[in-house]
Amino acid sequence: MPRADRKPANPKRAAPRRAAAAPRPDDPRAPADPATSGRTHAERRDEAERRLLAAAVRIVADRGIEGMTLTEVGEAAGYSRGLPAHYFGRKHDLVAAVASYIADGFATRLARTSDRPPGMASLLYSVASYLDRAAPDDAAPTRALMIALAEALTEPVLAEAMSGVTQRSVGRLRAMIRQGIERGEIRRDVDPHAQAVIILGTLRTTIAHWVIDPEHVDLATLRDCYVSSLQRSLAA
Amino acid sequence: MPRADRKPANPKRAAPRRAAAAPRPDDPRAPADPATSGRTHAERRDEAERRLLAAAVRIVADRGIEGMTLTEVGEAAGYSRGLPAHYFGRKHDLVAAVASYIADGFATRLARTSDRPPGMASLLYSVASYLDRAAPDDAAPTRALMIALAEALTEPVLAEAMSGVTQRSVGRLRAMIRQGIERGEIRRDVDPHAQAVIILGTLRTTIAHWVIDPEHVDLATLRDCYVSSLQRSLAA
Amino acid sequence: MPRADRKPANPKRAAPRRAAAAPRPDDPRAPADPATSGRTHAERRDEAERRLLAAAVRIVADRGIEGMTLTEVGEAAGYSRGLPAHYFGRKHDLVAAVASYIADGFATRLARTSDRPPGMASLLYSVASYLDRAAPDDAAPTRALMIALAEALTEPVLAEAMSGVTQRSVGRLRAMIRQGIERGEIRRDVDPHAQAVIILGTLRTTIAHWVIDPEHVDLATLRDCYVSSLQRSLAA
Amino acid sequence: MPRADRKPANPKRAAPRRAAAAPRPDDPRAPADPATSGRTHAERRDEAERRLLAAAVRIVADRGIEGMTLTEVGEAAGYSRGLPAHYFGRKHDLVAAVASYIADGFATRLARTSDRPPGMASLLYSVASYLDRAAPDDAAPTRALMIALAEALTEPVLAEAMSGVTQRSVGRLRAMIRQGIERGEIRRDVDPHAQAVIILGTLRTTIAHWVIDPEHVDLATLRDCYVSSLQRSLAA
DNA sequence: AATGAATGAGACTTCATTCAT
DNA sequence: TATGAATGAAGTCTCATTCAT
């Protein structure tokens, strides 16, 4: 006689299902009213998609792209195993969406958002605030970016997205360097593009260093140190 | 580099697979006579192990750690698919061995091998040649190191092995910076360790950037740019 | 060199395997309509689970626990080879489920289900009907129990389940013996527990004997023989 | 550069090798002089074979036939992985040899070794001492026999060897029963063969029960209980 | 006589993917 | 919209087995 109460042994299947009430405010920009009822299909779809992506980012930050399974993403987002596939189709496409989602979060990070004058001042300010913004309470997005950059070496779909965010970042730095040269603040023999690549590389490596070993790395000190180094090396 | 010869034509070949024609001189110091007969157990074992590791490195350079399968490693080395497991047991242990193997290949990369005077000159020379050596004919070792460093973020066994190379490399840079300070070439307020960590990271990140996107990055320009930046920012 | 794009496992996936023709009525109480369509998820799941367990019991009866493979269980039940793992996770857990399934089928075999008076009469009746019920058309369940009991010696998960069914059986026999003693039908110097263990052992060995060599063993004769022996040896 | 000190990850390979000095007096009947030197090839071969078999029995007692690997047998006996295959060829043949070896150890267990008079007294004495001898300091041989008997249900090569012990044991019991009948101690309507089969089976099943679940079974009580039951049920 | 290198079959297990509900 | 049942490919790992030393 079959046992009525048997459950599949897979422990993951025991994970919470659905949780329509208030799944989890995964996304910092969570909507004010996450209640299921009283919302249009489009709204629900959008929210589900956002939650799935946010869950995916957290998982990527933990275990990398290969370590992320569709089942896990669905359940971590408070939905069923099947939903990620339902929305994104192939895993490949989910990975692409995750990569864009991660990149978007950093897209404007080097944009000049202050009232600093263009050129050297903007550059130094952007560099400083890039490092400042890396250390919020939740390191997951930063960690996810680092991992996505790393795994772009072997995963073409990531390479594409990461190449995009890299080029935008390099472009912003390059523009500031050019302005600095035009304004006579920065040496004329500096190659704006190459210098921008090096600055971005230094920023990323500093953050990666902190992501790996936050205990022993003091971002504020490194920030000050780098800003003054940069000033010294670029000054006309 | 993709392999040319996939499998022996005759699938039911009972004879040992090791082709007498010296399948591939994986090891630069390949033995003169790789024929099967006339060698001791220990010799055969050592050679097989070396070949397996060399094959694994090539595959890691192509597809990353997760993309490397035991079957592929065995066959790429000219043996059976079972041999890697037979030697290394778990894939985990093969990965550890591969990581050490990769790390060993770069152990002396930042050692001062020139006749430059110690201190600033050595430092700048080492930095320049690190970037120069990244792009030889066979980029596989460099690629493999970059990938191993990247995947160390999510794979603890790699993290351990990579930590070794990193510490050795940081140590060498740190020593040069200290000498530069002692000789009065480098500012006294530079923290040798922190600066060494940042320099190494920047070198690596930049190379990774180039690996992913060689179109937009010219290593020679970067090298000159970085050397002069460093010189100015560190100079006493 | 960028990786060749990974391709979907099988682009032209063959149609689902579940034959609509009701592959095999594995379960004696097979459902009237095993067709795939028109059933809820829960129903399909339950039926699949029942079929898998029934198939597993048959295979265990044939080849023992070690000889049972997940692939075989899946296909013998009319499903894919992947389903057992999908439901039960590890083979270990399937084995545990099979052991419970087998034990459950025999759990009540020694319960007094007749209108015989308690004590000696019930005991003799239970013993007789235990042997009678062992010889239906399909010896697989009995054979599976014997094998599970045997392999419990080396497989802890079986030992647990078998220990359970054994203790229940011993408990029932012991209760009847106690009643017989209280009613003055059975000698006062009989140790109810030890005697119950011996009776169960004799029953099982008799059945095992028949399972192994049904041609030369006449269960009806052995039954009569043992019932009268028992009566003689226990009578007050 | 390949690491010279690498060992295969398989932990079993780290087990002691060879140990020519005085490996282990596995066999109680070990030769007086186990020294390697000064012995003929035949002697060394015999000893190696005996050691291998003794090691195999210990392993079977622990993990069963399927759980026994050739490598483990060789190393547990103090030799190399390859020796069992070298001597016995296929695993199948080693199993057969092990089965015979086990059976031989129990060949005389039911022989009347006392001065009891033939017939009923011998029968009861043999039964009692069979149970007594089951629980010596080293239960491995008993365990191994039980396991071999159990796995004979699914492993033909075992069935054959076990059939030998069984027939000898049944024969001895049958002879005692016949003598009892001739001497007028045992009822004439007892079938000597069937009764002997049932007695032997009950002895074995009971011991197996005790092996699995020693907590709930007291062999001494069982022995007394069974002896007096037998006496009453067989008495003329 | 004895060792151990190497092979290859076959098991378990995970998971992306498809499809019915 | 969302769930989850079911498939099947691909990978890891274990070992019996063969064969050179």
Side-chain angles (χ1 to χ4, degrees):
Chain A
M1 190 176 306
R3 316 201 7 191
D5 61 341
R6 179 160 311 291
K7 288 196 286 284
N10 194 330
K12 287 172 187 166
R13 213 179 147 270
R17 206 71 39 76
R18 198 55 191 93
R24 230 175 275 185
D26 286 323
D27 193 306
R29 310 176 305 279
D33 176 10
T36 294
S37 59
R39 318 189 38 236
T40 69
H41 277 178
E43 280 170 343
R44 290 176 62 185
R45 175 173 187 109
D46 276 2
E47 174 176 347
E49 209 163 307
R50 218 172 22 241
R51 281 176 191 279
L52 289 174
L53 286 174
V57 168
R58 282 198 314 277
I59 293 168
V60 166
D62 262 14
R63 289 191 276 296
I65 292 289
E66 302 269 1
M68 172 186 79
T69 71
L70 297 186
T71 293
E72 198 184 4
V73 170
E75 294 184 343
Y79 294 93
S80 70
R81 305 182 269 195
L83 205 61
H86 190 56
Y87 278 2
F88 296 97
R90 334 286 277 205
K91 178 175 180 179
H92 179 271
D93 298 319
L94 171 60
V95 170
V98 169
S100 298
Y101 187 83
I102 291 174
D104 286 352
F106 290 84
T108 58
R109 193 153 273 202
L110 280 174
R112 187 167 57 90
T113 56
S114 76
D115 52 359
R116 306 294 159 112
M120 179 73 103
S122 282
L123 178 65
L124 297 179
Y125 175 79
S126 294
V127 162
S129 60
Y130 189 93
L131 293 175
D132 283 341
R133 262 179 291 180
D137 310 338
D138 180 14
T142 302
R143 204 179 143 79
L145 177 68
M146 291 299 133
I147 288 177
L149 284 167
E151 300 195 337
L153 287 168
T154 51
E155 179 58 55
V157 70
L158 278 178
E160 198 177 341
M162 292 304 114
S163 175
V165 68
T166 297
Q167 281 173 34
R168 281 198 297 278
S169 297
V170 166
R172 292 206 176 87
L173 292 171
R174 189 176 51 210
M176 297 183 214
I177 294 171
R178 284 205 179 113
Q179 289 175 319
I181 292 175
E182 283 165 14
R183 292 164 61 102
E185 300 160 352
I186 293 180
R187 290 185 281 125
R188 309 210 78 84
D189 62 336
V190 164
D191 178 312
H193 182 76
Q195 186 66 51
V197 167
I198 287 169
I199 291 173
L200 184 63
T202 307
L203 290 174
R204 284 180 173 171
T205 227
T206 305
I207 289 175
H209 194 194
W210 166 78
V211 160
I212 291 170
D213 189 8
E215 304 298 318
H216 297 91
V217 176
D218 180 35
L219 265 189
T221 303
L222 286 177
R223 176 199 60 200
D224 296 340
C225 190
Y226 186 50
V227 165
S228 66
S229 279
L230 203 54
Q231 188 161 26
R232 217 181 305 262
S233 70
L234 297 182
Chain B
M1 191 176 305
R3 328 183 21 211
D5 55 341
R6 193 63 190 166
K7 290 192 204 85
N10 188 346
K12 56 186 65 175
R13 208 157 65 96
R17 168 167 327 205
R18 275 291 297 301
R24 216 172 300 168
D26 285 323
D27 192 307
R29 309 173 306 281
D33 176 9
T36 293
S37 57
R39 326 204 20 248
T40 69
H41 276 170
E43 282 169 344
R44 289 177 64 185
R45 179 178 188 101
D46 277 1
E47 174 176 347
E49 203 162 310
R50 220 180 311 124
R51 280 174 187 275
L52 288 175
L53 286 174
V57 169
R58 282 198 314 275
I59 293 169
V60 166
D62 262 14
R63 291 189 273 294
I65 293 287
E66 302 267 1
M68 171 187 81
T69 73
L70 298 185
T71 294
E72 198 183 5
V73 170
E75 293 184 344
Y79 294 92
S80 70
R81 64 196 166 120
L83 202 61
H86 188 56
Y87 275 10
F88 296 96
R90 332 288 276 207
K91 178 176 181 180
H92 178 271
D93 297 315
L94 171 60
V95 170
V98 168
S100 298
Y101 187 83
I102 292 173
D104 287 351
F106 287 83
T108 59
R109 184 152 278 203
L110 277 174
R112 186 168 58 89
T113 56
S114 75
D115 51 359
R116 307 293 157 114
M120 179 72 103
S122 283
L123 177 66
L124 297 179
Y125 176 80
S126 295
V127 164
S129 58
Y130 194 93
L131 290 171
D132 282 341
R133 265 179 289 179
D137 308 341
D138 180 14
T142 300
R143 245 188 96 79
L145 177 68
M146 289 301 137
I147 288 174
L149 287 167
E151 301 194 338
L153 288 171
T154 50
E155 178 58 55
V157 71
L158 278 176
E160 199 178 341
M162 290 305 113
S163 153
V165 226
T166 299
Q167 280 171 28
R168 280 196 297 278
S169 297
V170 166
R172 293 204 176 88
L173 292 172
R174 189 174 51 208
M176 298 181 208
I177 295 171
R178 283 203 180 117
Q179 288 176 319
I181 293 175
E182 283 166 14
R183 295 163 58 102
E185 300 160 353
I186 293 180
R187 286 184 286 122
R188 308 209 78 83
D189 61 339
V190 165
D191 175 342
H193 181 76
Q195 192 62 246
V197 166
I198 296 296
I199 291 174
L200 180 65
T202 303
L203 289 172
R204 285 174 172 176
T205 309
T206 305
I207 290 175
H209 190 162
W210 166 76
V211 165
I212 292 176
D213 197 4
E215 303 299 316
H216 295 90
V217 180
D218 178 53
L219 274 187
T221 309
L222 278 176
R223 176 198 59 202
D224 296 340
C225 185
Y226 191 42
V227 165
S228 76
S229 280
L230 265 186
Q231 187 163 26
R232 281 168 208 266
S233 70
L234 297 181
Chain C
M1 193 169 298
R3 10 180 332 214
D5 215 6
R6 192 174 292 295
K7 47 184 178 300
N10 185 353
K12 51 185 68 174
R13 213 164 69 89
R17 174 179 311 221
R18 272 295 292 302
R24 238 177 268 186
D26 286 323
D27 194 307
R29 309 173 305 280
D33 176 10
T36 293
S37 58
R39 332 213 6 254
T40 69
H41 277 170
E43 282 169 345
R44 289 176 66 184
R45 178 172 189 104
D46 277 1
E47 173 175 348
E49 204 161 312
R50 219 180 313 124
R51 278 175 187 274
L52 288 174
L53 286 173
V57 168
R58 280 200 318 278
I59 293 168
V60 166
D62 262 15
R63 290 189 275 294
I65 292 289
E66 303 267 1
M68 170 187 82
T69 72
L70 298 185
T71 294
E72 199 183 4
V73 170
E75 293 183 343
Y79 295 92
S80 70
R81 59 199 169 124
L83 202 60
H86 188 56
Y87 275 10
F88 296 98
R90 333 288 277 207
K91 179 177 180 179
H92 178 271
D93 298 315
L94 170 60
V95 171
V98 168
S100 297
Y101 187 83
I102 292 173
D104 286 352
F106 289 83
T108 58
R109 193 153 271 202
L110 279 173
R112 185 168 58 89
T113 55
S114 76
D115 52 357
R116 307 293 158 113
M120 178 73 101
S122 282
L123 178 66
L124 296 179
Y125 176 80
S126 295
V127 162
S129 60
Y130 190 92
L131 292 175
D132 282 341
R133 261 180 290 179
D137 311 338
D138 180 14
T142 302
R143 205 179 142 79
L145 177 68
M146 291 300 133
I147 288 178
L149 285 167
E151 301 194 335
L153 287 168
T154 50
E155 178 57 57
V157 71
L158 277 178
E160 198 178 342
M162 292 305 114
S163 175
V165 68
T166 297
Q167 280 173 33
R168 281 198 296 279
S169 297
V170 166
R172 292 205 175 89
L173 292 171
R174 190 176 49 210
M176 297 183 212
I177 295 171
R178 284 205 179 114
Q179 288 175 319
I181 293 175
E182 283 166 14
R183 293 164 58 104
E185 300 160 353
I186 294 180
R187 291 185 280 126
R188 309 211 78 84
D189 62 337
V190 164
D191 178 313
H193 182 76
Q195 186 66 51
V197 168
I198 288 170
I199 291 173
L200 184 63
T202 307
L203 290 174
R204 283 178 173 173
T205 228
T206 304
I207 288 175
H209 194 192
W210 166 77
V211 160
I212 292 171
D213 189 10
E215 305 299 318
H216 297 91
V217 176
D218 179 36
L219 264 189
T221 305
L222 285 177
R223 177 200 59 199
D224 295 341
C225 190
Y226 186 49
V227 166
S228 67
S229 278
L230 202 54
Q231 187 162 28
R232 216 182 304 263
S233 71
L234 296 182
Chain D
M1 189 176 307
R3 316 202 4 194
D5 61 340
R6 181 160 310 291
K7 288 194 287 283
N10 194 330
K12 287 171 186 167
R13 212 177 147 271
R17 208 71 40 76
R18 196 59 188 91
R24 230 177 276 181
D26 285 325
D27 194 307
R29 310 175 305 280
D33 176 10
T36 294
S37 59
R39 316 184 47 234
T40 69
H41 278 177
E43 282 170 343
R44 290 176 62 186
R45 177 175 185 107
D46 276 2
E47 173 174 348
E49 209 165 306
R50 220 175 18 244
R51 280 177 191 280
L52 289 174
L53 287 173
V57 169
R58 283 200 312 276
I59 293 168
V60 166
D62 262 15
R63 290 190 276 294
I65 294 289
E66 303 268 0
M68 172 187 80
T69 72
L70 296 186
T71 293
E72 197 184 7
V73 170
E75 294 183 344
Y79 295 93
S80 70
R81 305 182 268 196
L83 205 61
H86 189 58
Y87 278 2
F88 297 97
R90 335 286 279 203
K91 179 175 181 181
H92 180 270
D93 299 318
L94 171 60
V95 170
V98 168
S100 298
Y101 187 83
I102 291 173
D104 286 352
F106 288 83
T108 58
R109 184 151 277 202
L110 277 174
R112 188 169 56 89
T113 56
S114 76
D115 52 357
R116 306 292 157 113
M120 178 73 101
S122 282
L123 177 67
L124 297 180
Y125 175 80
S126 295
V127 164
S129 59
Y130 193 94
L131 290 171
D132 283 339
R133 264 178 290 177
D137 308 341
D138 180 13
T142 300
R143 245 187 97 80
L145 178 68
M146 289 300 137
I147 288 175
L149 287 167
E151 301 194 338
L153 288 170
T154 51
E155 178 59 55
V157 70
L158 278 176
E160 199 177 340
M162 290 304 112
S163 153
V165 226
T166 299
Q167 279 172 31
R168 280 196 297 278
S169 297
V170 165
R172 292 204 176 88
L173 291 171
R174 188 174 51 208
M176 297 181 208
I177 294 171
R178 283 202 180 117
Q179 288 175 319
I181 293 175
E182 283 167 12
R183 293 164 60 103
E185 299 159 352
I186 293 180
R187 287 185 285 122
R188 309 209 77 83
D189 61 338
V190 165
D191 175 341
H193 181 76
Q195 192 61 246
V197 167
I198 296 297
I199 291 174
L200 180 64
T202 303
L203 289 171
R204 287 174 172 175
T205 309
T206 305
I207 289 175
H209 190 164
W210 166 78
V211 164
I212 294 176
D213 196 5
E215 303 299 315
H216 294 90
V217 180
D218 178 55
L219 276 186
T221 308
L222 278 176
R223 177 200 59 205
D224 296 340
C225 186
Y226 192 42
V227 165
S228 75
S229 279
L230 265 185
Q231 187 163 27
R232 280 169 209 265
S233 71
L234 297 181

